Amino acid sequence: MNTRTILGILLSIAAIPCVVQAELGTDIHVQSDSDPIRLDIDRRTFNEIQSLLKQGYPAVSVMLHGVSMGMSINDVVYLAVKSNPQRAKELYDTAVSLLPSLPGWAIQGDDSSDRYYTNYTASELGAQSTVTEVARRFFEQNMRLTPFPEWYAGGYHIKVSTDELAGLLKDSWWYRQGNLQPNSPRSVPNRPIFVSLYGDRGEIVVDSGTERIRNAQQEGVRELPVVFVYNDMRTRPISRYSANVKAKEIVDDFFKRGLKLTSVPEWRQVGDHHMVAPVAELMELLGTIDKKDIDPARWSAITQDIRNNGFNTPLLISLFNSGDGRIWANGPDRIAAAAELGVGQVPVVFLYHDIGRPPCGQPIRTTALICSAALAAGAEPSICQLPPGARSQVPGYVAPGGGGGFPRPSPPPTTTVPPPTTTIPPPTTTVPPPTTTIPPPPPPSPVLPGGNS
């Protein structure tokens, strides 16, 4: 892939009219919780919507104001119901009535179990500060520990028993650790034990650094700091694939099925990575770069770096699920240099980007999603008047506190209405037949295209 091709791809992305806001999870800090900038945006947006409702603005104006700022209608409903739960029915009805007027990008396609959830703090666990209890709350009630700690500065969610962690170890992983530099701020002992939770199977996957847990257990260390990583229903550990999985299989699973890998903790200084892939396979996946298209000074620098340090910094492959699937790699010239130097395989990290919304022009069928957003904000299930065929729980949706989803249809009445007991006598007056002949009806009008007469 030459420079002209890459530029063409970037220009084509810039020309997409539907993308207003892409939510990008680029590391476990963002993916597991929310980054501080995003949280601040959400907080300010919530305060603004709350203020508009308090000032008496009509619900329709509040909804359209949120959409005009690039928010999905689901998110506007969630924030509006959170700020004024007494008006939940009105807010839900307003949002549904606006659907025919909204473009596809204004609908958030993710189900609410992954988007809206209940938070709690470590202090609320008390004596139940165990991996098992934290996992149970996530699997059964979609509850998540917050805030996400600054783990590279020594932060963690909770400390748990070393024996419990050792008992949870198994042959599963979602990343491989890179070469920890002795002076790196993210090296042991600051680095916590990561525990990754997968709601689709109720699976607990403990950190790749299992030797640290075994060593701590043998040395009599009773507790270790733990950071929890919460995964949505489409995210998987790479250990679910075969040992010889190819990079193309990972890419195809995202573009065709929407499946992602859990983000690695730290690829910058440490070199954590998802997998090690053959250079020849990556060149086929990404396209071959001709050496003559690379600046000689750049070529000299990257080849010298690989000779001196190896291919320690992983190749980052960014995937954008925009309907046709687009792939970028940072420094693809490094792959060309690695091939020339005879490097057989290199570490790879996948970064996933998905707008999570139906494309423009797609028919909007999201009444149930709007309902689930309102329920997640605390509304009563009775507010949702779903159309026939839509009275089913949104896949994966769990109301805060573990409650149910949408109400079942009302059963038919069990009381039988008795027949009338009063007989109406026949009329005693005979009506004479009409003397005027009524002309026959005119022939039917022709039907125009589209069914309009």
Side-chain angles (χ1 to χ4, degrees):
M1 184 183 297
N2 56 32
T3 306
R4 183 176 300 175
T5 303
I6 296 174
L7 179 60
I9 292 175
L10 293 175
L11 290 175
S12 64
I13 277 288
I16 296 177
C18 303
V19 179
V20 172
Q21 173 185 347
E23 299 186 27
L24 311 178
T26 55
D27 55 39
I28 64 168
H29 190 293
V30 175
Q31 185 224 10
S32 179
D33 189 0
S34 293
D35 62 282
I37 296 176
R38 178 74 198 195
L39 282 175
D40 186 58
I41 293 174
D42 288 344
R43 190 177 298 109
R44 287 186 282 114
T45 305
F46 174 75
N47 291 339
E48 186 171 348
I49 289 177
Q50 187 178 47
S51 175
L52 291 174
L53 290 173
K54 282 184 177 180
Q55 294 180 55
Y57 281 89
V60 64
S61 291
V62 175
M63 296 290 170
L64 292 176
H65 175 71
V67 171
S68 68
M69 293 193 301
M71 297 179 63
S72 69
I73 190 68
N74 312 46
D75 286 351
V76 180
V77 169
Y78 177 81
L79 294 176
V81 172
K82 267 289 187 184
S83 65
N84 200 329
Q86 294 78 17
R87 296 176 63 182
K89 172 64 174 171
E90 174 197 357
L91 296 169
Y92 166 80
D93 289 342
T94 301
V96 172
S97 69
L98 287 173
L99 284 179
S101 304
L102 299 180
W105 61 256
I107 302 301
Q108 186 69 41
D110 295 338
D111 69 83
S112 295
S113 64
D114 289 333
R115 191 158 184 79
Y116 315 118
Y117 45 82
T118 304
N119 297 332
Y120 67 99
T121 61
S123 62
E124 297 175 55
L125 284 170
Q128 294 181 307
S129 293
T130 64
V131 171
T132 305
E133 174 60 19
V134 173
R136 185 196 68 79
R137 293 188 182 203
F138 176 57
F139 297 150
E140 297 180 5
Q141 299 174 287
N142 200 26
M143 300 176 69
R144 311 186 186 195
L145 268 174
T146 55
F148 195 88
E150 300 290 343
W151 61 267
Y152 48 83
Y156 53 88
H157 276 125
I158 58 174
K159 282 190 174 182
V160 302
S161 164
T162 305
D163 291 338
E164 183 192 15
L165 286 171
L168 293 170
L169 293 177
K170 53 187 176 181
D171 190 21
S172 300
W173 69 93
W174 77 92
Y175 76 102
R176 293 300 193 189
Q177 287 192 5
N179 298 319
L180 292 173
Q181 302 300 320
N183 298 324
S184 170
R186 291 164 169 80
S187 63
V188 177
N190 283 337
R191 189 175 177 117
I193 302 297
F194 292 102
V195 175
S196 193
L197 305 177
Y198 299 88
D200 66 315
R201 292 187 183 178
E203 184 179 11
I204 301 173
V205 180
V206 182
D207 205 330
S208 291
T210 54
E211 69 283 351
R212 182 182 172 198
I213 299 173
R214 298 292 190 195
N215 293 340
Q217 190 179 35
Q218 293 176 1
E219 294 169 4
V221 178
R222 299 182 59 184
E223 292 183 327
L224 289 172
V226 168
V227 167
F228 291 94
V229 181
Y230 297 96
N231 296 278
D232 62 38
M233 290 295 183
R234 297 180 302 169
T235 304
R236 306 284 188 265
I238 194 169
S239 57
R240 291 195 192 173
Y241 291 89
S242 64
N244 57 349
V245 61
K246 294 185 179 299
K248 188 177 187 304
E249 186 177 349
I250 303 295
V251 171
D252 287 345
D253 262 2
F254 178 58
F255 290 149
K256 296 177 181 179
R257 303 170 60 195
L259 300 181
K260 304 176 290 184
L261 299 176
T262 304
S263 299
V264 305
E266 176 52 51
W267 52 264
R268 300 166 185 85
Q269 297 184 44
V270 176
D272 296 337
H273 52 274
H274 282 123
M275 64 183 297
V276 175
V279 170
E281 179 194 339
L282 292 174
M283 292 184 71
E284 181 180 352
L285 177 67
L286 303 172
T288 304
I289 295 180
D290 199 321
K291 178 180 177 179
K292 68 176 184 294
D293 293 332
I294 303 174
D295 179 74
R298 164 70 179 170
W299 181 265
S300 176
I302 58 179
T303 52
Q304 189 62 38
D305 178 63
I306 294 174
R307 286 193 186 98
N308 294 341
N309 305 308
F311 207 103
N312 286 334
T313 302
L315 179 75
L316 305 181
I317 297 180
S318 297
L319 307 177
F320 180 50
N321 195 2
S322 58
D324 53 355
R326 298 165 187 260
I327 305 175
W328 292 268
N330 73 316
D333 48 6
R334 295 172 63 216
I335 294 296
E340 180 167 289
L341 294 174
V343 177
Q345 52 188 14
V346 299
V348 175
V349 169
F350 294 95
L351 303 178
Y352 296 93
H353 310 293
D354 190 346
I355 58 176
R357 299 171 182 176
C360 295
Q362 177 174 316
I364 297 174
R365 50 167 185 75
T366 54
T367 305
L369 288 174
I370 292 177
C371 179
S372 68
L375 297 184
E380 293 294 326
S382 58
I383 72 165
C384 299
Q385 301 297 323
L386 298 179
R391 286 186 178 273
S392 60
Q393 187 167 308
V394 175
Y397 172 69
V398 179
F406 302 120
R408 296 178 179 273
S410 301
T414 56
T415 305
T416 304
V417 180
T421 56
T422 304
T423 303
I424 301 175
T428 55
T429 305
T430 302
V431 179
T435 57
T436 305
T437 303
I438 301 175
S445 303
V447 178
L448 299 177
N452 297 320
S453 60

